[in-house]
Every structure is written in C-alpha cells, then in structure tokens.
Amino acid sequence: IIKMLTFCRGRMRKKKMHRIPIYKVRIKMANIIKKIKRKHKKKKLQAEYAKMEQSRQNRTPEDAYQERLSKHRSAAIRRAMMTVVAVAAVATLCFFYMEKRSYHNYKILSASEQEDVVATNYAEMSGKILRYSPDGASLVSDTMDAYWSTLYEMQNPVADVRDDRAVIADQDGTLLEMFDKDGETGSVTTSYNIIKARVSSSGMVAAILDGGDATWINFYGSDGTLIAENQTHLADPGYPLDVAVSDSGDIMMVAYQFVDGSETTSYVAFYNFGDVGQSEDDRIVSGYTYDGVVIPQIMYLDGNRSAAIRDDGFTLYKGSQIPKEVETIKVDKEIVSTFYDDNIIGLVFKNGDKDKPYTMRGYSTDGRLKFEKKFNIPYTTIKASGGNILLYNSSQISVMNSRGVEKYSGTVDGTISNFIKTGWNRYLLVLDNGVDVIKLS
C-alpha cells in the first residue's frame, strides 16, 4: 500500500496533476493485493511440492508399497460404496414400482382336476401346500406334485399351520396328527373330543378338549407325548375360547370367558412350562382380566409377541418368559372381520357409507396404524397370506398388499372354496371343479 501511494505521488508530480481519483487508487490497491496473494500461494505450493518430493525420495520400498495399498483400498471402498448406493437406488425404485403396480387380469399357469376337491382342504405350509381330507394328508407343490403323504381316518379334519409345522385335528373327534415339512412326527388319540388345536413353530401342540362337565387343555410335544393337562371349569377360570403356543413351545396362552354377575368377563392367562413357571401356581406366570369384553381369538405373532383380538379392538403382549400387556387398541364400531400374520393385524368394520360400506384398518404388530381405507368388495372370507391381504367370495377375488393398496380385483370362472398365495405373484385358486395356479398380469 505504501509503495502504491508513493507511486501515485510520483506520478502526480511528474504530470503535475493535482489529484488521482479515489476509485483508481482502490483498483490499484486491489490488483497489488491479488498479486501478493498469488505469489504467496505459489510459494506455499512450491514448498509443499518440494516437501512431498523430498518425502518421496526418502521413502523406503515398504513405504511406497503401503501408500499404493492405501490408495487401492480407498479406491475399492469408493467403488463398493458407489455399487451399494446404485443397488439401493434400483431396489427402492423396484419396491415403489411393485407397491404401486396394479393388475387387470390373470393367467392360469397350471390346472389340476381333483375328484375329491369338495372334501379336500388346502393350507400354505413352508412355501408349499398342505392338502388334507378325511382320508389323509400330503405336502404338495403348487402343481400338485407330492413331497410326502400319509393316511388316517377323520370325520371333520381341521388344520393349523405355523411355519414348517402343522397339526390336523378331527374336530369333535379324538385324533390329532402332527407334521413337519418331512412328514408325520406324531399322533395322539385323546380321551375327550377335540374342540380346537394349535401348533407352534417348534412343533408343540395345545388342544382344547370337551370333557362334558369340565374342559381340558392338553399340551403335547411334537411326537405326541403328553407334557401337561389342565382341567378348567366355567366358574374358575372360565370356558376356554382359544389357545396359542409360543414359537419356543414354552408358553401356552389361553383366553377364557366367564360370567361375573350379569357381565361377561374375559381372562387371558400365560402358562410357562419351562423353568420359570415351575414355582408358579398352575404354572401361570401372568394373567389379565377384562370386564365386559369378549376375546374370541388369540395368537402368537413371533417369539415374544402375542395378541388378543377383542370385540372392541385388540391387546398386545410382549415377553418371552413372563408376557406383559403393552398396548390396547380400541375401536368404537362393531368389528365384522379380522386378519393377521407376523407383520400385520387387520380389523374390518362397517361404517354406514352406502358406496363403500366397509372400513379396513391395518396395524403393525406394535400397535401403530399402517393404513385405513374404505372399500365395497362383497367378501365372505378375508385373510393375510404371504404378505398380501386376500378377500374373496364364491366368484370374486381381490388382492391387496400389506399397505392396503389394491393389486387386483375381478371375477373367476367356477365356485371358489379357497384362495392362497404360494409365491411371488402366484396364487392357488381352489374351485369346485379343480385347482388352478394363477399369475396376475
């Protein structure tokens, strides 16, 4: 700056000028400062380059190797991160595409005519189909190729499936048949008629038996061995409406109903047949009473979460050894249908709307509302199957995803008796004249 001022004064004397405009002085100052900065930056870079060159000349072969290795690793990490980001982006796009995509037709991939289709029932098991009738059971592919089959005699077979395990009970009879993906694992002839039977993913089976004046709840191993039996009465603790077994097989959940005065009361009890329950009366480690509430259905959702479906909503429990009540969701309208799987609990109730008379609510298994939608599908059956929500009557089917987005709705030729998801975009359609494997298109 001093040099610039001296220069300006000299110029004024030589040219005998009285004054240089101030804006020219400022421009000159800015140019000088820029030159100084450029020279300083250049000297700094030259010093750094010289230092790097000196360092490079002083490196040992090991240092050079480590530097090359570090650069290679950094490049590999960058490539890997770019690949992960690209794959995630593609997966996200595919997910949203599949979520929003809807179908307008279906095509038949295979058809199988069954002479006994009216007496035969079907259930999804381990990604395959459990086919059962009064004469026996078999595990088949969606093209009806059998993996195994077994014979028995029942009047009214009813199946319960959990992952790779299944139990088939002769309702109002006395025969229980246990299975896994490889075939029969056990068989039991009970002392009393069977009302209901449930299986866990470990193969443990709980059965409600009608003993006349009393009701029995028996607990069996996967091979049919009797582990425990419990006699119940209407007065204490009540009539058992439903039973469920934890995945580990240690906990049996029972929903009882009894009348206290003029009021209907429900009681949910958790029996622990492991070490934790040894010191408890009747092995009941926790129990909850609900006045004025009917609980017709209970289920285990995963290893430590269970739910009780009430006539006014549902209650969630959590705990692998001593289950505790954690959340109750209530609705102020009459529930007409329910559905559930490991990831969703669904309620359907009427809303009074003439155009769309039904409202469906889907909840996550921690009680969070996932979606709510009105619809007008005249269904007779609704269920969760393979991550989808399936609705159907004798001639119509509808498929929704787990967020309530309708993927397909239409009519079919024939009378529908069952509808099951068997794979990605593949469904088993059980009709009065045979079984079709269909794909939405």
Side-chain angles (χ1 to χ4, degrees):
I1 295 172
I2 293 172
K3 289 180 179 180
M4 185 204 69
L5 293 174
T6 304
F7 170 79
C8 290
R9 290 193 193 100
R11 296 283 292 178
M12 289 173 66
R13 290 192 187 100
K14 289 180 180 180
K15 296 187 178 183
K16 297 182 179 180
M17 297 174 64
H18 296 286
R19 177 175 291 184
I20 296 177
I22 189 65
Y23 74 91
K24 291 186 177 181
V25 175
R26 289 175 176 170
I27 293 173
K28 191 65 177 180
M29 289 176 64
N31 291 335
I32 291 173
I33 291 171
K34 288 181 180 179
K35 288 180 180 180
I36 293 172
K37 286 184 176 180
R38 283 197 294 269
K39 289 180 179 180
H40 178 72
K41 186 175 181 180
K42 184 176 181 181
K43 289 181 179 180
K44 187 177 179 180
L45 289 174
Q46 288 174 346
E48 289 180 356
Y49 289 148
K51 185 177 179 180
M52 292 173 60
E53 181 63 22
Q54 184 65 30
S55 175
R56 188 183 66 80
Q57 292 176 358
N58 295 336
R59 286 184 306 173
T60 65
E62 178 65 21
D63 293 335
Y65 170 76
Q66 290 297 332
E67 182 179 354
R68 291 195 301 271
L69 183 62
S70 177
K71 290 181 179 179
H72 175 74
R73 288 174 177 171
S74 298
I77 291 173
R78 285 195 297 270
R79 289 194 298 270
M81 291 180 64
M82 292 175 64
T83 302
V84 169
V85 171
V87 170
V90 172
T92 301
L93 290 173
C94 291
F95 172 78
F96 281 110
Y97 172 75
M98 296 308 299
E99 282 284 293
K100 298 298 182 182
R101 184 183 180 185
S102 60
Y103 301 89
H104 305 286
N105 207 339
Y106 71 86
K107 59 182 179 180
I108 299 175
L109 300 180
S110 63
S112 176
E113 293 185 1
Q114 303 288 325
E115 294 181 0
D116 60 346
V117 69
V118 176
T120 304
N121 296 292
Y122 301 82
E124 193 274 334
M125 177 181 173
S126 186
K128 303 176 179 63
I129 303 298
L130 178 67
R131 182 174 62 182
Y132 61 98
S133 69
D135 300 323
S138 59
L139 188 68
V140 300
S141 66
D142 55 11
T143 57
M144 298 298 114
D145 296 323
Y147 298 97
W148 54 258
S149 62
T150 188
L151 299 176
Y152 54 69
E153 292 185 5
M154 295 186 184
Q155 295 297 317
N156 186 26
V158 178
D160 183 60
V161 180
R162 182 72 174 177
D163 297 335
D164 293 342
R165 300 284 186 164
V167 59
I168 299 177
D170 190 6
Q171 195 170 46
D172 297 326
T174 59
L175 182 60
L176 283 172
E177 294 284 343
M178 292 89 157
F179 303 93
D180 65 10
K181 62 181 180 179
D182 298 318
E184 184 178 359
T185 62
S187 179
V188 175
T189 299
T190 61
S191 301
Y192 305 103
N193 288 345
I194 301 166
I195 300 173
K196 186 175 292 186
R198 294 287 184 264
V199 67
S200 74
S201 59
S202 61
M204 309 296 281
V205 173
I208 301 175
L209 309 178
D210 183 6
D213 295 334
T215 304
W216 293 82
I217 302 176
N218 287 6
F219 199 52
Y220 301 94
S222 59
D223 60 353
T225 304
L226 179 64
I227 296 175
E229 55 184 357
N230 183 38
Q231 187 180 26
T232 70
H233 298 274
L234 290 177
D236 183 23
Y239 183 81
L241 291 182
D242 202 5
V243 62
V245 186
S246 67
D247 290 348
S248 65
D250 291 337
I251 309 293
M252 181 173 69
M253 180 184 184
V254 183
Y256 296 97
Q257 183 177 329
F258 62 94
V259 178
D260 186 6
S262 60
E263 189 174 49
T264 298
T265 301
S266 294
Y267 174 60
V268 175
F270 291 89
Y271 297 80
N272 190 315
F273 294 100
D275 296 337
V276 176
Q278 288 183 352
S279 59
E280 303 294 335
D281 293 340
D282 296 329
R283 289 187 173 269
I284 298 178
V285 291
S286 60
Y288 300 91
T289 301
Y290 304 97
D291 297 329
V293 174
V294 177
I295 299 179
Q297 187 180 23
I298 57 177
M299 73 286 293
Y300 258 88
L301 304 169
D302 58 24
N304 65 348
R305 291 184 297 176
S306 54
I309 305 297
R310 308 151 49 116
D311 59 355
D312 62 351
F314 62 91
T315 297
L316 298 171
Y317 309 87
K318 189 174 183 179
S320 59
Q321 295 297 321
I322 305 177
K324 301 293 184 182
E325 180 182 301
V326 294
E327 184 79 24
T328 294
I329 305 297
K330 291 186 177 182
V331 296
D332 57 0
K333 296 182 180 180
E334 180 184 1
I335 299 171
V336 296
S337 301
T338 63
F339 57 91
Y340 74 94
D341 63 12
D342 293 349
N343 300 306
I344 190 172
I345 298 173
L347 307 177
V348 179
F349 46 87
K350 292 185 177 180
N351 56 37
D353 189 329
K354 292 183 179 180
D355 295 328
K356 295 183 177 181
Y358 298 105
T359 295
M360 179 189 300
R361 289 181 183 172
Y363 297 85
S364 65
T365 52
D366 60 2
R368 177 176 52 85
L369 180 64
K370 298 177 66 174
F371 70 87
E372 177 176 326
K373 69 171 298 177
K374 293 182 178 181
F375 66 97
N376 61 354
I377 302 169
Y379 72 96
T380 56
T381 302
I382 182 171
K383 61 184 176 181
S385 178
N388 283 165
I389 303 167
L390 308 183
L391 304 91
Y392 60 95
N393 55 32
S394 60
S395 60
Q396 294 174 282
I397 60 174
S398 178
V399 179
M400 299 180 187
N401 66 13
S402 60
R403 299 180 184 275
V405 178
E406 187 173 87
K407 311 297 289 183
Y408 175 80
S409 183
T411 59
V412 300
D413 295 329
T415 301
I416 304 169
S417 62
N418 206 342
F419 185 42
I420 303 169
K421 185 178 182 182
T422 60
W424 184 82
N425 202 25
R426 293 166 68 94
Y427 301 85
L428 190 75
L429 190 58
V430 183
L431 306 170
D432 57 346
N433 57 356
V435 179
D436 293 342
V437 178
I438 66 171
K439 180 180 180 180
L440 303 182
S441 60

